Structure formats: structure tokens, C-alpha cells
Amino acid sequence: MSGFVDECNLHVTAGDGGAGCVAFRREAHVARGGPSGGDGGAGGDVWLVADRNVSSLLAFRDHPHRRAGNGKHGSGNRRHGARGDDTEVAVPVGTVVLDHDDGSQLTDLSAHGERWLAAAAGVGGRGNARFLSNRVRAPAFAEQGEFGERRWLRLELKLLADVAIVGFPNVGKSTFISRVSAAKPKIADYPFTTLEPNLGVCRLEDSFDDVFEMVLADIPGLIEGAGEGRGLGHRFLRHVERARVLLVLVDLCELAGCSPAEQLSVLLAELGRYRPELLQRPRLVVGSRADTAEEAALPEPSDSSPGVSHLGRMSSVTGEGVAHTLGELRRLVTQARACEPVVEAPMLHRPLPPAQEVAVRRLDGRLWEVRGRAARRAVALSDLTDAGALAYMQDRLRRLGVEKALARAGAVYGDEVRIGDFSFAYLADTEDGDGDDEAGAVDAGSGGPGEANSVPGARHA
């Protein structure tokens, strides 16, 4: 079974908030102690953290679910519940996070220590002590905890390497990386021996104090049409995108099937078809497998190819030209690193919170939907079995402008209004001359989706 996985799905679930407590102070010699219910604790968040010690997405292939801790419930004497524990999910540096449904890119964790909030925690409900007012002296209701965010994500890994080795299948890429580094890829004399990228660290020591290291990536062999997705072209080419320098190996063997110039033309065409900017990347063209070939000429760089270097023959088996190739790669990598901006500290990516504005849209003839996190929370956190909580919820929706928005949109008496997972009956104004400028009211209910419920005697605006 392969130990390298560069694509996977991940399901993240943030912690739910704890419920608020309904309690009253009960002490000797303390008359009418009043409400003392504490708030529930918020749930934990789920964070994706780029970690240089993680090399692939293998951990998510068979276990794709990650969940944070739930918040604790509040208790009496104004004791608040504890917050749920956050969950940090370590992913390889170079992981791209995509939306599972539409494929849009959400973030790119390209540096060690970068963090991204994958699922936001649910807030804790308020205890009844928070609802004490001059109008309500003994509130006997509290809020429920909010559910944490949960969703599917698509993770794709783009390897971070100084040098990406590209070439036709069986051109000697794995042999080269095994000679210059400690990597031990599978090597055989048939095409497509390498089915997954291999990373190797090459150390060049000029003296005891001068040690140069660069990371090389052995990319599985490309074929004509790889830029259009033929074979596994896109999956392999993805790992070339972040490389600072490209090492293009062309086969000098007479049995290669096409000349070095034809190989180079096809490889550059596929790179340009996949990402045109790859053609502007510094690259080194080397003739490989010189031990099995006669003298052969390599194509010269054209005037329109800046940053391109061409070397002669190289054999990873005999060692011919290997030192010269490493020296030229060191020069190109050093130049590329010097042109990159210095990152002072890892970044923290926190998605913008959803808009709080209330929006109304018609779903069907007499079915309306109210959007907006504030409106959904006003309903979802309320205890709809308590008359006091229902009255507070109605007042909260009125202050958010839900009733006015419904009236402006054209809602009439008896229409069904859906807010989150609950449905209500819309009651138009039936009182005249009272000076109230409200156009209608959402009559509270406790039904689920598709069930319009009302409470007898609910106040009309």
C-alpha cells in the first residue's frame, strides 16, 4: 500500500456550544434572590496547521473525520460552562484547501506554522441571569447552545521543493535522485516505475561551515498530453508548480524513440499547456543516460527563454557530469531563493464571518425564507417550549427587522416563514388606528421544516 497520498477528503466538525442554565438564588435570609443561571461555554474550533514534519495526507485516507470538543453547560450561582477544546489538524506544508462542493480554493497553507480556521465553534447559550431586566424580573428561560460548523473539504498537496525533476518515463530521474540524496525510490528498466513523487535532500559541503542543502522532487514521468490531463498528468504536474527550479532530463539513448530536441519540445509544450508561467521558471536541461548513448547534441536555448541553462551529458550510473549538474542547480536555486520575499512570521487565516443582515426571499407561492445568522440564532438558541422565551424571540426578530422585511417582500396573513430549521406562520396586522408602524408579526411555533405552527394568543404587531 502506498505511503504517499496527495489528495483526500476531510470532514471537520466544530464543537457545539453548551446550554445556558435556568436557576434562581436560594439562600437563607435572602428574599427573592433572583435568577442565577450561568452561561454555557463555547465549543472548540477546528484548525488546519501546516507542519513541515508531515509529508503526505495519508492520515486522512481511512480516517477523514476530525472533531473539536463541545462546550459545557452553565450551572447555578452564575457558574459558566467551560469552553470546548480546539482541535489542530496537522497537514503538510503546501496543502491547498478546496470547497468540496464547488471546488473553489479556500486557502493555501504554503509555510510552516500557517493556520486556517476550518470550522468555527458554536457559541454557548446565555443563562437566565442574562435576561433579567426591569420588565422581566424573574426570567424562567435560557438559551440553547449553538451547533458548531461542520462541512466537507477537499485537500490537495503541492510539494514544496527547490528542484523538480521532469522528463519522459524511464529517463533516469529516480536514479539521479537516489545518487545525490538519501532517497530510495523504486528503480527498474520499464516505464512508469515511479508512480508517486519522491523527495530527497541533497547536501553539498564546501567546508565544515559551508553546507548547502536543497530539496529535489522526483516527478513521475510525463507523456504527451499530460497538460490536458492525459494519464495522471494533472496529478503529477501539480507538484511542479511550487518548485524554484526545473531540471529537465532528456534521454540520450538511441532506443529512446525520439531525439533529445523532440523530447524537450514535447515536455515544454506540456508544461506551458498546464501552467504557462512554468515556462518562465529557471530551468536546467541535461542529457541523461550518457553511459548508454553515443555522442549527442542537445538543443540550444532560444533567445525567448530567459533563465535557461543547458549542460551536456550526464550519467547517474557512472557519475559522469553529476557534480557539474549539482553545481549548476545550486547556482540557480541560490538565485531563486534570493528573489523571494522573506516571511517574518506564519500567517493566521480566519474566514470572514457571515453577513449579519436579514434577507428575505420567496421559495414558493406562500413559502418564505429568512436569511441571516442573527435571525437564525435568535430562533435556534431559544427554548420554544417556554412562553417567556417565545416572547423574547419575537421581540428579537422584530428588532432585527424581520417583520418589516417580510411585509416589504409581500408576505400576507397565513404565509409560511422558514428561519433556519423552524417554520412559523406569518400574522399580518389586524389592528387599526393603534399607531404601530409594524406591518405584521411572525407567530412563534416549534415545528420543524415544512410545518407551520402557531401559538394561540400570540401578540400581533
Side-chain angles (χ1 to χ4, degrees), residues 363 367-370 416-424 449-450:
L363 296 180
L367 177 60
W368 302 84
E369 181 185 40
V370 177
E416 180 181 350
V417 179
R418 185 170 297 171
I419 307 177
D421 294 333
F422 295 86
S423 295
F424 307 92

Side-chain angles (χ1 to χ4, degrees), residues 307-365:
V308 179
S309 300
H310 285 235
L311 294 181
R313 300 156 56 89
M314 181 188 73
S315 172
S316 300
V317 175
T318 64
E320 176 188 353
V322 172
H324 192 190
T325 300
L326 291 178
E328 186 65 15
L329 288 176
R330 175 177 180 172
R331 183 184 67 83
L332 294 175
V333 170
T334 301
Q335 292 177 353
R337 289 176 178 176
C339 297
E340 293 180 352
V342 178
V343 179
E344 298 294 339
M347 297 182 62
L348 177 68
H349 304 274
R350 186 185 295 271
L352 293 175
Q356 299 292 329
E357 292 79 10
V358 171
V360 174
R361 71 174 184 134
R362 187 194 298 266
L363 296 180
D364 203 349

Side-chain angles (χ1 to χ4, degrees), residues 12 20 127 153 155 279 306 393 408 432 437:
V12 290
L153 302 170
L155 305 184
L279 297 180
M393 182 204 68
R408 286 194 299 266
D432 298 325
D437 60 353

Side-chain angles (χ1 to χ4, degrees), residues 71-123:
K72 303 299 182 182
H73 301 316
S75 56
N77 202 21
R78 296 181 183 266
R79 290 190 293 265
H80 302 320
R83 192 184 191 280
D85 294 331
D86 291 346
T87 294
E88 294 188 354
V89 183
V91 297
V93 176
T95 299
V96 178
V97 185
L98 308 175
D99 185 270
H100 187 272
D101 296 328
D102 58 20
S104 60
Q105 181 173 319
L106 302 176
T107 190
D108 184 355
L109 303 176
S110 57
H112 175 73
E114 283 192 345
R115 300 161 55 88
W116 180 69
L117 181 61
V123 299

